Amino acid sequence: MTRSITVELGERSYPILIGSGLLQQIGGLCREVGYPQRSPLLVVSDSEVAPLYLAAVEASLTAAGYTVVSHVFPSGEASKSLTVYEEVMTTAIQGGLDRRSAVLALGGGVVGDLAGFVAATYMRGIGFVQIPTTILAHDSSVGGKVAVNHPLAKNMVGAFYQPSLVLYDLDTLQSLPPRQVASGLAEVVKHGLILDREFAYWCLEHAAELLALQPEALGYALERGCAIKAAVVAGDEREHGQRAILNLGHTIGHAIEAVGGYGAFLHGEAIAIGMAGSALLAARLGRDQAIYTDTVAMLTALGLPVRLPVEYTEEALMEAMMHDKKFKEGQMTFIVPDSIGAVSIVDDIRQEDVRGVIAQLQKEGSPW
Amino acid sequence: MTRSITVELGERSYPILIGSGLLQQIGGLCREVGYPQRSPLLVVSDSEVAPLYLAAVEASLTAAGYTVVSHVFPSGEASKSLTVYEEVMTTAIQGGLDRRSAVLALGGGVVGDLAGFVAATYMRGIGFVQIPTTILAHDSSVGGKVAVNHPLAKNMVGAFYQPSLVLYDLDTLQSLPPRQVASGLAEVVKHGLILDREFAYWCLEHAAELLALQPEALGYALERGCAIKAAVVAGDEREHGQRAILNLGHTIGHAIEAVGGYGAFLHGEAIAIGMAGSALLAARLGRDQAIYTDTVAMLTALGLPVRLPVEYTEEALMEAMMHDKKFKEGQMTFIVPDSIGAVSIVDDIRQEDVRGVIAQLQKEGSPW
């Protein structure tokens, strides 16, 4: 079964397809989207994903009558740089991409962000298709945020640019290592925690099936996760306000990533600790203690960490947070749960409370 | 007197102010636009313009309560690179620009294009103000095309991004060298040639005043030029169709720039020869021979070249044109005058006719 969701953004609306065997249909789908066969297509992928799936994508596109150019870069966050960006641009120019061409991002979040920024800026914007191959990318492939990193700060150089199509082939998820599965599920359950109580508890009940990549459960979870994100994005495409609720757990999470070096914790692991921290913050602000208990139950059921190793010191984390771009004009803003499935944007959080939360997160032994 | 035009683009509409003494008002105008004083502003300029006007801009912004960061790069097309782009990004980050900050482009087209691409992509897009200091920039500052060059092709990396305000201080034009004045007037008269017969002949009659930078004539010419461009852009913001008429003379013009090396002819000079070529093409397609005669009269009155030096060979120019991004899917498209003040987009131009036009352009001695 193929599930379909539409991200409603007026003339920039686009469908997300979720199902099995979709990679083999990409050529026909590109024709349905309206990309002309005379304009070359560029597939961007990384050194981990390309050996597994690039040939299938190229074959489907070629069979549909397209000329295909590919660019494969070393996997990892270090590739999300202006240097690799320029190299992909070079491939696009040498491959003869024109204004009616499209860029297809085959891979996880790094591939999607980088290829999306190429699509957004090659000849001032050409077609863009996302083919996420990680669970985590269900998040980054909805919402149109594309970017590369600057040596001084993550995601500092980018754009809002919507794809014409997101193609989620569940078959590509079967090869994911367990830690990456759990990391991806952190963003899935986050969407329940911010807006859908029933779905959050559904994730708790079906954690084992999700970790086992059981297609029915996984398809449903991705559909709900994408749908919730799509609804938030549709209401606030350029992140002027409400879209910030998607950042639940991300302020502390980004600080953990910055202090530990990107890669020590996976992104989903870092934001899981951040979401546990947000629930502790909620308790400090007088909200129900059960928010923390249930949040931790959900995260641990999904194999995610909820505590901080002691080497992540309070000072280092606070300093990293003060540099976070989400603190506009020097105030500390956090997304705070009101209950499981509802959050508020609170912009007058006291530094003492944040320090207190960090101390609490560090109290007990292992992060898992 | 300050003239004001509005570029009508729905929620992205913005005003163009043209007059004397405007640089000294930039601080107050930024507050009117709504930029908060707590968010730093970045002024981008080049080594030719900064010594003349940067201090005045900084003083006005500081007096209005803003923190100001400046980035000055070497003047010239070579600076419109991803390398300089990254350097400006570094200045922006180190200067603490946040999502409510703005980039002010103080200079000609290179400054506007580069600073605009920074504004379009810093934190996925922040505020943008254009302060053009050349006549040529009246063209590039309207329409939202921003870009840098790739080593393999000009303007290949960019975006459509509209400023919040364009501020045209006529005082800054007084220091322009005569060749740059004429080059800028090429785009001014182009706007008459494509859409406003009366204005085209007005330019012919007032050529001497324009070349002498007489403020009343210059203010009117810039107002008409901007207004015509704004009307075309408003109808086709992302260049899907009709906006292409703005490229009158640019196909041959770009080829001349590519073959001669950027800088041999100034941009306006190259497109002047291109516009003479377009008029010759019109004659080959059976349109009135007077189009050519009058076009040449206007261009020469404005001190612009209308012939090709012989070292620009037919083969080199044809090859450069075949690489021009305006030839989508291999067909040759030209903007062809139907009369003075009216043009058509003709997409089935035969190569023989283009070759014939080049030969005709080369027939006589000096380009001027």
Side-chain angles (χ1 to χ4, degrees), chain B residues 4-191:
Chain B
S4 175
I5 306 155
T6 301
V7 182
E8 300 287 358
L9 290 168
E11 60 180 19
R12 289 186 298 285
S13 296
Y14 60 91
I16 303 173
L17 305 182
I18 303 169
S20 292
L22 294 181
L23 281 193
Q24 289 71 28
Q25 301 171 40
I26 181 71
L29 290 165
C30 282
R31 290 185 58 177
E32 278 179 38
V33 167
Y35 299 136
Q37 289 157 297
R38 282 186 291 184
S39 297
L41 301 178
L42 170 63
V43 183
V44 176
S45 192
D46 71 23
S47 56
E48 268 187 39
V49 174
L52 300 173
Y53 308 115
L54 181 57
V57 169
E58 287 177 337
S60 176
L61 293 171
T62 304
Y66 291 103
T67 302
V68 184
V69 188
S70 297
H71 188 107
V72 177
F73 57 76
S75 82
E77 185 79 19
S79 287
K80 219 174 103 174
S81 66
L82 279 167
T83 305
V84 176
Y85 166 77
E86 185 168 1
E87 288 165 3
V88 179
M89 282 285 174
T90 303
T91 302
I93 296 170
Q94 289 175 337
L97 267 73
D98 61 39
R99 292 172 62 180
R100 301 177 71 185
S101 292
V103 178
L104 287 71
L106 174 67
V110 168
V111 172
D113 282 3
L114 175 68
F117 190 48
V118 170
T121 55
Y122 181 79
M123 291 186 169
R124 299 194 181 87
I126 60 173
F128 178 36
V129 173
Q130 292 256 35
I131 314 172
T133 61
T134 65
I135 297 172
L136 194 61
H138 94 281
D139 183 53
S140 54
S141 65
V142 181
K145 280 187 171 184
V146 297
V148 297
N149 299 327
H150 184 282
L152 296 178
K154 249 190 118 175
N155 290 322
M156 196 54 84
V157 178
F160 288 95
Y161 201 70
Q162 306 297 341
S164 308
L165 172 69
V166 177
L167 200 75
Y168 226 123
D169 189 332
L170 296 175
D171 300 343
T172 64
L173 305 175
Q174 299 301 320
S175 54
L176 284 175
R179 256 185 87 185
Q180 282 211 25
V181 171
S183 173
L185 292 171
E187 293 278 11
V188 171
V189 73
K190 181 200 78 181
H191 289 124

Side-chain angles (χ1 to χ4, degrees), chain A residues 74-140:
Chain A
S75 82
E77 184 81 17
S79 287
K80 222 174 100 173
S81 66
L82 280 166
T83 306
V84 176
Y85 166 75
E86 184 168 1
E87 289 165 1
V88 179
M89 282 284 174
T90 303
T91 302
I93 296 170
Q94 289 174 338
L97 267 73
D98 61 38
R99 293 173 61 181
R100 301 178 70 184
S101 291
V103 178
L104 286 72
L106 174 67
V110 169
V111 173
D113 282 3
L114 176 68
F117 191 48
V118 171
T121 54
Y122 181 79
M123 291 185 170
R124 300 194 179 86
I126 61 173
F128 179 36
V129 173
Q130 291 256 37
I131 313 172
T133 62
T134 65
I135 297 171
L136 194 61
H138 95 281
D139 182 54
S140 54

Side-chain angles (χ1 to χ4, degrees), chain A residues 216-227:
Chain A
E216 183 58 29
L218 193 58
Y220 175 73
L222 290 173
E223 181 184 8
R224 283 303 307 148
C226 289

Side-chain angles (χ1 to χ4, degrees), chain B residues 8 74 81 95 112 156 221 226 254 264 267 274 281 287 292 304 338 364:
Chain B
E8 300 287 358
S81 66
M156 196 54 84
C226 289
H254 284 160
H267 178 66
L281 193 57
R287 289 157 173 80
Y292 175 69
L304 290 159
D338 297 316
E364 308 175 42

Side-chain angles (χ1 to χ4, degrees), chain A residues 72-258:
Chain A
V72 177
F73 56 76
S75 82
E77 184 81 17
S79 287
K80 222 174 100 173
S81 66
L82 280 166
T83 306
V84 176
Y85 166 75
E86 184 168 1
E87 289 165 1
V88 179
M89 282 284 174
T90 303
T91 302
I93 296 170
Q94 289 174 338
L97 267 73
D98 61 38
R99 293 173 61 181
R100 301 178 70 184
S101 291
V103 178
L104 286 72
L106 174 67
V110 169
V111 173
D113 282 3
L114 176 68
F117 191 48
V118 171
T121 54
Y122 181 79
M123 291 185 170
R124 300 194 179 86
I126 61 173
F128 179 36
V129 173
Q130 291 256 37
I131 313 172
T133 62
T134 65
I135 297 171
L136 194 61
H138 95 281
D139 182 54
S140 54
S141 65
V142 181
K145 279 187 173 186
V146 297
V148 296
N149 299 328
H150 185 280
L152 296 178
K154 249 190 118 175
N155 291 322
M156 196 54 82
V157 179
F160 288 95
Y161 200 71
Q162 306 297 341
S164 308
L165 173 69
V166 176
L167 200 75
Y168 226 123
D169 189 333
L170 296 174
D171 300 343
T172 64
L173 305 176
Q174 299 301 321
S175 54
L176 284 175
R179 257 185 87 186
Q180 281 212 25
V181 171
S183 172
L185 291 171
E187 292 278 12
V188 170
V189 73
K190 180 200 78 181
H191 289 123
L193 288 171
I194 60 173
L195 272 182
D196 189 336
R197 179 180 183 88
E198 200 180 323
F199 178 55
Y201 285 102
W202 181 94
C203 290
L204 176 58
E205 282 164 43
H206 296 79
E209 293 153 63
L210 291 172
L211 289 171
L213 298 169
Q214 194 275 318
E216 183 58 29
L218 193 58
Y220 175 73
L222 290 173
E223 181 184 8
R224 283 303 307 148
C226 289
I228 293 166
K229 171 131 190 201
V232 176
V233 168
D236 180 17
E237 187 179 358
R238 297 184 74 89
E239 199 167 8
H240 293 303
Q242 196 57 21
R243 184 166 171 166
I245 66 172
L246 296 169
N247 293 323
L248 177 70
H250 279 61
T251 301
I252 292 174
H254 283 161
I256 292 169
E257 289 179 296

